[in-house]
């Protein structure tokens, strides 16, 4: 959520800030702004897109120091006044902020009692006034920021500049990501490496409670108690080309189309053809420790949670270990019993999802063994966990997750294979799963080739006000993910139910205006699923079936037939046509596909 960009160096900051903010548009926002320092602070901010901001930034908006921001509203409606950056009353200090200051009301009341007039409804403006006061009392901006943050309760990623110190930026992190970029006689900071890769691939990730001072010739980091900290730069694997649409109309279509390649990267070097096992050295567990776990608990949010449900099925079927998935946002609040015999798995594409990160930290405090499945190297969750699996799917720009979802599902297949072969999965079954994983990229190509047909079906169904998605056992999390995709990018109401639960209430909704998307794999539950289709059709409901073959009777109005793999891996393939269905429905309805309303890519607030 939100985006931060900062620059200090010999170049004009404004074009760098605007370009960086454009790279961060996928994170979700409602307003944007920039401020540069040049004989005082020059500020421009607007409600709207970065393109709207660029129109109000004059050509002579000069200055080699600046900060920029894209805001996703938490305190106050989207407006020019509530947009960041925020200035202190004397226009000396400028601040941009991601996160939520929980005691902002209390701090604001004290400042107002002292005569401070606020120009916005935001919690962030409180920081600008407090830092300005501290700057009057301290010799350095870093000390002013450090002392101010001692009075703050909540989460933040901030960047601060001082008109009286035009050669430095101070950044700080607590629960909301900040990445420092190291250039040649210039320095950058951002909330996401996407804003930096055009200029540098050498980065440093701040830890919670850590601050940094950036100057053109270098940087230093320190903890909230003023103790200096040592940081080693990492080299980012992604470059600016990864953030281009590559000739596709939308990032989402590009990322759907990349899945054969991204899935191959997730599996690369991890499949052992000799022993029919998955090599996952990043787990940091030997065979004896791996065998000791008696249960697997998976936590994630949104699509990550649904991929966790697929993962739980895979682990139970292949490794015969009880497994289940739960939303991290619920898990962290219910005082969970943390069992030393349980392996906990945290999933987050960005590695910065706040609810998931907080759940990981709670598990670690209680002695739980936690591994992560993340896409972003060096992210907060990747640093917190005891080990894990990197997806290597490349950056995912569109808000709706597609390639990260399927790569996560493949990572779970690898984990299930790894756990299974240490336990009771036979070499023959191991070979079967390995061969099935090898077939997945080619089979996804076959499904993508049906894009034109699925686009026509999407147009046919997009005008309905609501849709039902149903599936049994392996098909249920696929149905949940399909419904999620449709509603988040097309704004068509959709809900998912276990197919067997329709007759226990939701069947009352079925009729000509409520089509059903039915996930019907060719497995041991095929006949049960076909019976459900008959129940829907008997009540005048329209059915779009996604499965491995045409039904024998007239049980579906339309059918999308996909290639068949091993039954444990079929859910991964069944997801692909639902991604395309949601995409083409959103296009048909004229939606902003990559930046759906009210949503953000990386959810770093509660």
């Amino acid at each position: 959520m939100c985006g931060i960009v900062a620059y200090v160096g010999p170049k004009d900051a404004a074009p760098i800030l605007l370009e960086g903010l454009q790279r961060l548009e996928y994170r979700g926002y409602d307003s944007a702004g920039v401020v540069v320092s040049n004989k005082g602070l020059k500020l421009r901010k607007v409600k709207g897109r970065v393109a709207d901001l660029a129109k109000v930034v004059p050509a002579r908006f000069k200055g080699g120091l600046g900060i920029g921001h894209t805001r996703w509203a938490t305190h106050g409606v989207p407006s020019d006044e509530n947009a960041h950056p925020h200035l202190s009353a004397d226009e000396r200090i400028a601040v941009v902020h991601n996160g939520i200051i929980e005691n902002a009301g209390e701090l604001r009341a004290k400042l107002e009692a002292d005569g401070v007039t606020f120009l916005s409804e935001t919690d962030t403006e409180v920081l600008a006034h407090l830092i300005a006061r501290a700057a009057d009392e301290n010799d350095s901006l870093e000390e002013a920021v450090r002392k101010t943050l001692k009075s703050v309760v909540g989460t933040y990623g901030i960047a601060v500049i001082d008109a009286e110190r035009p050669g430095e930026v101070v950044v700080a992190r607590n629960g909301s990501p900040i990445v420092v970029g190291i250039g040649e006689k210039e320095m950058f900071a951002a909330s996401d490496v996407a804003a930096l890769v055009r200029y540098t691939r050498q980065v440093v990730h701040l830890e919670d409670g850590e601050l940094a001072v950036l100057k053109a010739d270098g940087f230093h980091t320190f903890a909230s108690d003023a103790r200096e900290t040592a940081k080693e730069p990492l080299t980012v694997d992604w470059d600016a080309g990864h953030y281009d649409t590559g000739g596709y109309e939308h990032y989402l279509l590009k990322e759907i189309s990349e899945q054969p390649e991204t899935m191959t990267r997730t599996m690369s070097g991890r499949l052992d053809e000799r022993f029919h096992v998955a090599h996952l050295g990043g787990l940091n567990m030997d065979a004896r420790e791996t065998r000791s776990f008696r249960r697997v608990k998976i936590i994630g949010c949104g699509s990550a949670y649904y991929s966790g449900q697929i993962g739980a099925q895979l682990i139970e079927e292949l490794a015969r270990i009880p497994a289940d998935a739960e939303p991290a946002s619920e898990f962290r609040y219910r005082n969970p019993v943390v069992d030393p015999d349980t392996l906990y798995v945290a999933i987050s594409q960005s590695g910065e999802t706040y609810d998931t990160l907080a759940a990981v930290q709670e598990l670690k405090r209680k002695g739980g063994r936690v591994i992560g499945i993340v896409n972003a190297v060096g992210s907060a969750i990747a640093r917190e966990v005891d080990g894990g699996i990197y997806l290597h799917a490349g950056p995912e720009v569109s808000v709706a997750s597609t390639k990260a979802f399927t790569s996560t599902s493949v990572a779970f297949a690898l984990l299930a294979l790894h756990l299974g072969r240490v336990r009771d999965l036979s070499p023959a079954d191991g070979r079967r799963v390995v061969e099935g994983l090898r077939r997945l990229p080619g089979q996804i190509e076959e499904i993508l080739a049906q894009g034109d047909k699925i686009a026509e079906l999407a147009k046919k169904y997009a005008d309905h006000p609501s849709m039902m998605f149903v599936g049994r056992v392996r098909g249920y999390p696929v149905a949940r993910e399909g419904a999620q995709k449709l509603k988040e990018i097309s704004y068509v109401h959709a809900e998912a139910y276990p197919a067997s639960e329709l007759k226990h209430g939701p069947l009352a909704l079925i009729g000509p205006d409520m089509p059903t998307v039915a996930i019907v794999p060719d497995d041991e539950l095929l006949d049960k699923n076909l019976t459900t289709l008959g129940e829907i059709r008997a009540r005048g409901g329209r059915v779009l079936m996604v499965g491995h073959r045409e039904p024998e009777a007239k049980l579906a109005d339309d059918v999308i037939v996909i290639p068949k793999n091993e039954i444990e891996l079929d859910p991964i393939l069944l997801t692909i046509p639902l991604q395309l269905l949601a995409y083409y429905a959103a296009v048909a309805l004229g939606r902003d596909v990559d930046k759906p309303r009210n949503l953000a890519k990386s959810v770093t607030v509660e």
Side-chain angles (χ1 to χ4, degrees):
M1 287 184 172
C2 306
I4 287 174
V5 185
Y7 174 79
V8 56
K11 302 171 186 171
D12 279 331
I16 295 170
L17 299 176
L18 289 169
E19 198 274 340
L21 294 179
Q22 287 176 333
R23 296 282 185 184
L24 298 180
E25 286 191 293
Y26 73 93
R27 292 173 67 92
Y29 71 106
D30 50 56
S31 55
V34 293
V35 62
V36 298
S37 179
N38 184 355
K39 298 179 182 178
L41 300 181
K42 300 178 179 180
L43 173 68
R44 294 291 187 277
K45 55 182 184 175
V46 298
K47 173 188 173 183
R49 297 298 190 186
V50 175
D52 301 317
L53 173 63
K55 292 175 183 176
V56 302
V57 173
R60 296 186 60 79
F61 201 70
K62 304 297 184 181
L65 171 72
I67 53 179
H69 192 264
T70 50
R71 175 181 184 259
W72 188 83
T74 56
H75 290 69
V77 299
S79 67
D80 290 357
E81 294 78 17
N82 288 331
H84 297 211
H86 289 286
L87 304 184
S88 58
D90 57 5
E91 298 190 352
R92 173 183 172 181
I93 299 294
V95 179
V96 294
H97 164 231
N98 292 348
I100 294 176
I101 306 303
E102 294 174 10
N103 63 334
E106 174 188 345
L107 296 171
R108 185 184 186 110
K110 290 179 179 178
L111 287 166
E112 288 177 329
D114 288 343
V116 174
T117 300
F118 281 79
L119 302 180
S120 77
E121 303 168 83
T122 68
D123 54 342
T124 304
E125 190 180 350
V126 169
L127 294 177
H129 296 304
L130 290 175
I131 293 169
R133 289 188 168 198
D136 289 335
E137 301 169 359
N138 292 275
D139 294 332
S140 67
L141 179 60
E142 62 186 270
E143 189 65 7
V145 173
R146 188 183 71 83
K147 289 187 174 180
T148 296
L149 293 178
K150 284 185 173 183
S151 65
V152 167
V153 177
T155 59
Y156 53 79
I158 64 170
V160 185
I161 61 174
D162 181 346
E164 295 185 11
R165 297 180 175 90
E168 65 184 39
V169 181
V170 176
V171 294
R173 170 197 172 126
N174 184 50
S176 193
I178 290 291
V179 185
V180 173
I182 304 167
E184 185 68 32
K185 299 297 182 183
E186 58 186 358
M187 293 294 298
F188 309 82
S191 51
D192 190 309
V193 295
L196 307 179
V197 291
R198 180 175 174 182
Y199 305 101
T200 180
R201 294 173 65 186
Q202 292 295 110
V203 302
V204 164
H205 294 265
L206 294 191
E207 306 286 347
D208 281 351
E210 199 168 26
L211 301 87
V213 177
L214 314 183
K215 298 182 180 180
D217 58 357
F219 74 102
H220 72 272
T221 58
F222 54 100
S224 57
D225 61 3
R227 173 178 43 87
E228 294 286 327
T229 57
K231 309 292 289 188
E232 287 294 326
L234 298 174
T235 301
V236 177
D237 291 335
W238 306 336
D239 58 33
H242 285 100
Y243 294 92
D244 294 331
T245 57
Y248 289 90
E249 186 176 356
H250 299 99
Y251 283 107
L252 184 58
L253 184 58
K254 176 193 177 190
E255 288 157 11
I256 291 171
S257 302
E258 287 176 338
Q259 288 175 110
E261 175 189 348
T262 56
M263 199 170 287
T264 299
R265 286 205 301 268
T266 300
M267 293 186 285
S268 180
R270 290 170 167 164
L271 290 176
D272 185 323
E273 307 286 355
R274 180 182 178 190
F275 295 106
H276 319 300
V277 69
H279 288 304
L280 299 172
L283 298 182
N284 300 325
M285 295 188 298
D286 61 23
R288 181 172 298 177
E289 187 176 8
T290 301
R291 282 186 61 85
S292 70
F293 294 111
R294 301 174 62 86
R295 189 175 188 86
V296 178
K297 183 75 172 181
I298 302 165
I299 55 173
C301 297
S303 290
Y305 163 49
Y306 302 142
S307 69
Q309 289 189 304
I310 291 176
Q313 290 270 351
L314 283 160
I315 289 167
E316 289 204 342
E317 290 191 293
L318 296 178
R320 304 305 299 156
I321 306 173
D324 69 301
E326 181 177 348
S329 52
E330 293 292 311
F331 180 86
R332 61 175 293 216
Y333 284 120
R334 64 173 182 80
N335 193 23
V337 176
V338 178
D339 187 341
D341 294 333
T342 298
L343 175 64
Y344 296 90
V345 186
I347 322 162
S348 170
Q349 188 278 141
S350 67
E352 302 286 353
T353 308
Y354 186 74
D355 283 321
T356 308
L357 175 60
V360 168
Q361 292 168 339
E362 179 69 10
L363 284 166
K364 297 285 286 181
R365 276 194 293 270
K366 293 183 174 180
R369 180 61 182 261
V370 191
I371 63 171
I373 297 179
V374 300
N375 194 32
V377 175
S379 57
I381 292 173
R383 299 195 305 274
E384 285 274 358
V385 294
D386 298 299
I389 305 170
Y390 280 122
L391 299 180
H392 302 300
E396 192 175 64
V397 175
S398 189
V399 166
S401 181
T402 51
K403 66 180 184 178
F405 178 89
T406 51
S407 284
T408 299
S409 300
V410 167
F412 272 118
L414 296 172
L415 178 61
L417 178 62
H418 177 79
L419 294 172
R421 289 292 288 121
V422 169
R423 297 167 71 90
D424 300 323
L425 189 69
S426 69
D429 276 329
R431 179 188 299 111
R432 176 177 63 81
V433 173
V434 169
E435 290 174 352
L437 287 166
R438 294 287 192 199
R439 293 198 301 273
L440 283 174
Q443 290 177 314
I444 291 177
E445 293 278 11
E446 294 179 44
I447 299 170
L448 294 175
Q450 298 187 58
D452 290 343
K453 173 186 175 179
I454 296 172
E456 289 302 314
L457 290 173
K459 291 178 186 176
K460 180 178 177 180
Y461 287 91
D463 289 332
H464 289 82
S466 188
M467 294 181 70
M468 186 77 75
F469 285 69
V470 298
R472 264 185 174 82
V473 186
R474 303 177 195 93
Y476 178 49
V478 175
R480 296 192 77 180
E481 171 62 10
Q484 170 100 339
K485 282 292 157 288
L486 185 68
K487 59 192 167 193
E488 70 182 329
I489 62 171
S490 75
Y491 317 150
V492 173
H493 172 255
E495 57 180 309
Y497 266 88
S500 57
E501 284 292 298
L502 273 186
K503 57 185 177 290
H504 295 293
L507 204 55
L509 295 172
I510 296 299
D513 293 330
M514 172 74 91
T516 297
V517 178
I519 313 304
V520 187
D522 191 359
D523 59 13
E524 74 278 10
L525 298 172
L526 176 62
D527 290 340
K528 299 289 186 184
N529 279 319
L530 293 178
T531 298
T532 300
L533 300 192
E535 293 172 352
I536 295 169
R537 295 281 289 167
R539 288 155 179 82
R542 299 175 64 187
V543 174
L544 169 56
M545 173 181 149
V546 180
H548 296 118
R549 52 171 155 159
E550 297 270 355
E552 293 180 5
K554 183 61 176 174
L555 296 175
D557 296 272
D558 298 287
V559 181
I560 301 172
V561 177
I562 69 165
K564 179 159 179 54
N565 201 294
E566 304 301 321
I567 58 173
E568 300 92 343
L569 302 176
D570 279 334
I572 300 171
L573 293 173
L574 288 162
T575 301
I576 310 300
L578 303 186
Q579 295 174 349
L580 290 168
L581 184 72
Y583 170 75
Y584 285 115
V587 171
L589 294 169
R591 309 304 191 206
D592 190 346
V593 174
D594 289 324
K595 298 185 284 293
R597 66 189 183 198
N598 304 331
L599 300 180
K601 181 64 174 175
S602 180
V603 184
T604 56
V605 297
E606 295 189 68

